[in-house]
Amino acid sequence: MKVIEKTGRSVEEAVESALNELNAKREDVEIEILEEPSRGIFGILSKPARVKVYLKPDLEDIAFRFISKILTAMKVNVSIDLKRKDNQLYINLFGPNLGLLIGKRGQTLDALQYLVSLVVNKHSKDYIRVIIDGEGYRKRREKTLERLASKLAKKAKLTGKKIVLEPMPPHERRIIHTALQKDPKVYTHSEGEEPFRKVIISLK
Amino acid sequence: MVELVEIIAKALVDNPEEVVVNQVEGEQSVILELRVSPDDMGKVIGKQGRIAKAIRTVVKAAAAKEGKRVVVEIIQ
């Protein structure tokens, strides 16, 4: 992260000169006031304002460049569409080699998403949630998981036994929990340690 | 394949200049040896090897496309 310290007669003036030097806009930086200016007495003992200005890294640019480098090295021809909404970064991939990038049950997509999230958050103070999708794969998977959830809930009610699902990553477990939250007869919770944590459906 | 491991490792660590990847041809598979600064070991392995696993998954996908078997080894 690029950072500079500046002084000025007022905080405003110090910030302004820092922005000039960084060639940045106010929304691209974070400002820390180190010292408020003091006028002193008759102009003596007066102190200038001192500020520290941090240039925030462009996270979208970092994410985009990281993914395109990976895709080029993998020799796949895929387009990247990237959108930021508050602290969420949505990345959509589309192209002919997508099956390869999604992998079995989305495991390659999940791995890619995890790596991009690590790199983005290395450069960010606030946590940024990174979501990578490939041609609507995650939406389709969500539908599949919802169907699976209602099917297994039915089975639990029929047999009266609890049902243990196969290990799933957190976002997939969340889909199961949400899908069955409103069912008055069953109750869901997760057991085990990541990455083998699994959802359990039991009767209330 | 070497380049892919390099790109990922360099983006994760604090000392990218110390990232070295060597390719060793095995009988049936290609071994990619990844070396990083001792301070960065955690950054390429992660809790319970989660990061190492993600790197291997991505590299495996790239290798599958070329019909190769690739093993990524992180070397102390």
Side-chain angles (χ1 to χ4, degrees), chain A residues 136-158:
Chain A
Y137 168 79
R138 293 211 189 275
K139 265 263 146 358
R140 291 200 301 277
R141 178 83 179 140
E142 198 179 320
K143 288 271 177 303
T144 309
L145 288 171
E146 281 168 358
R147 273 201 300 274
L148 178 76
S150 69
K151 204 174 89 190
L152 292 178
K154 237 179 241 165
K155 195 174 158 195
K157 286 178 221 166
L158 221 64

Side-chain angles (χ1 to χ4, degrees), chain A residues 66 69-76 97 100-101 107-108 111-112 114-115 118-119 122-123 170 193-195, chain B residues 1 3-4 7-8 10-14 43 46-48 50-51 53-55 57-58 61-62 64-66:
Chain A
F66 182 52
K69 274 204 270 180
I70 289 181
L71 297 179
T72 308
M74 289 177 87
K75 300 191 186 94
V76 288
N97 296 114
L100 175 98
L101 282 181
Q107 60 181 12
T108 310
L112 214 52
Y114 181 54
L115 294 173
L118 287 172
V119 171
K122 193 180 155 204
H123 296 275
E193 290 294 321
E194 242 31 287
Chain B
M1 227 56 80
E3 199 197 348
L4 180 60
I7 289 166
I8 298 172
K10 281 186 177 169
L12 293 171
V13 301
D14 291 326
K43 297 248 164 63
K47 264 189 214 150
Q48 289 152 3
R50 205 177 153 202
I51 302 175
K53 190 173 172 236
I55 297 174
T57 304
V58 172
K65 189 172 165 268
E66 294 176 18

